[in-house]
Amino acid sequence: MEQMVTRRRTNGEPCQQVVTVNTEFIMAAQRDTIFRQCINQAALVVADGMGVVWATKYLREPAPERITGIDTLIELAKLCAAKGYRIYLLGAAPGVAEQARARLESLAPGLQVAGTYAGSPAPEEEEEIIGRVREAKADILCVAYGAPAQELWIRRNIVRLPVAIAMGVGGAYDFLAGRQRRAPKTMQRMGLEWLYRLYREPWRIKRMLAIPQFMVLVLLKGRNKL
């Protein structure tokens, strides 16, 4: 990511999209062509889920490791603090990004948050949002509108975005703001954060059906490669 910002500042290269992918993303991409293009054409795709890591190993194209969206955001904030890059926090409910900002600033001393704004992924708000980001002179834009809305918003506006990197971060602001609790460290290391979240939010059971569907898809693809 550091190289992306450097190229933007030095040569004015266009914005690059970063996508953090989990099993829900992959199953949704089977049905949504544009969302699939978002993932396939992204400059960087991060495995956000043990299911994805397992699949890449099974298919003998292993991802280096699992990195959740919130951990990616925290490490990105630390990089920005070290290099003097400016980050903009877009999305989530009103007031949440401001709380997330305070938490990030404590985790990454010296971080320059160029601005925060809730807004929405509605097309009629795009001009105002892009204007806000441009005026803030941000290097990196994080968008928390939930998937796939945030990825589609970035893709729709990527040519116009005045930043080096744009990345969807889902519910990361809610976790940073303390509005959602992360799984215990042991469950995080075991890749069971999804189970803990399901325990706390039983309504997510329908979304979790993507996991067995994903496993079947991977197994079928693995057989076809034999």
Side-chain angles (χ1 to χ4, degrees):
M1 292 190 188
E2 181 180 349
Q3 294 177 349
M4 295 180 192
V5 179
T6 300
R7 289 197 298 267
R8 170 80 180 188
R9 286 185 165 188
T10 305
N11 304 319
E13 291 193 8
C15 177
Q16 301 290 307
Q17 184 168 9
V18 175
V19 181
T20 61
V21 173
N22 59 27
T23 54
E24 291 180 50
F25 277 51
I26 294 174
M27 295 313 300
Q30 307 306 304
R31 304 182 296 272
D32 188 328
T33 301
I34 298 178
F35 186 40
R36 184 164 66 247
Q37 290 173 349
C38 284
I39 297 172
N40 291 338
Q41 297 175 7
L44 176 64
V45 177
V46 179
D48 181 1
M50 284 306 298
V52 177
V53 174
W54 166 79
T56 61
K57 291 181 178 178
Y58 178 76
L59 297 174
R60 299 179 183 178
E61 299 174 4
E65 61 182 323
R66 169 182 178 258
I67 307 177
T68 66
I70 184 171
D71 290 331
T72 302
L73 177 54
I74 291 171
E75 291 305 312
L76 184 58
K78 292 177 180 179
L79 173 66
C80 289
K83 299 295 181 179
Y85 303 150
R86 294 167 59 81
I87 192 170
Y88 196 104
L89 306 180
L90 173 66
V96 176
E98 287 77 10
Q99 293 175 320
R101 171 183 186 162
R103 178 61 176 155
L104 284 174
E105 288 174 339
S106 70
L107 293 171
L111 175 66
Q112 298 180 54
V113 178
T116 62
Y117 182 60
S120 84
E124 56 268 26
E125 287 198 47
E126 291 174 359
E127 288 295 336
E128 180 186 355
I129 290 172
I130 292 171
R132 284 172 177 264
V133 176
R134 180 178 294 109
E135 185 176 352
K137 294 181 172 58
D139 295 299
I140 296 170
L141 174 65
C142 295
V143 185
Y145 287 143
Q150 60 198 18
E151 284 74 27
L152 297 177
W153 188 93
I154 292 170
R155 177 181 172 82
R156 196 163 62 242
N157 294 288
I158 196 162
V159 175
R160 301 189 296 162
L161 289 176
V163 294
I165 299 169
M167 177 178 73
V169 295
Y173 301 167
D174 290 310
F175 286 108
L176 287 167
R179 299 196 175 200
Q180 292 284 352
R181 290 174 57 186
R182 291 192 72 179
K185 291 291 185 180
T186 301
M187 295 188 77
Q188 291 182 38
R189 288 193 292 269
M190 295 173 66
L192 294 176
E193 281 193 86
W194 64 272
L195 183 60
Y196 181 80
R197 196 164 185 186
L198 179 61
Y199 164 73
R200 293 186 58 83
E201 302 173 345
W203 58 265
R204 296 177 66 88
I205 185 65
K206 290 185 178 180
R207 295 177 60 178
M208 293 301 177
L209 292 176
I211 296 175
Q213 294 171 353
F214 173 75
M215 293 176 67
V216 171
L217 182 68
V218 172
L219 291 170
L220 290 174
K221 184 172 182 179
R223 286 185 181 181
N224 292 334
K225 292 182 69 173
L226 294 176

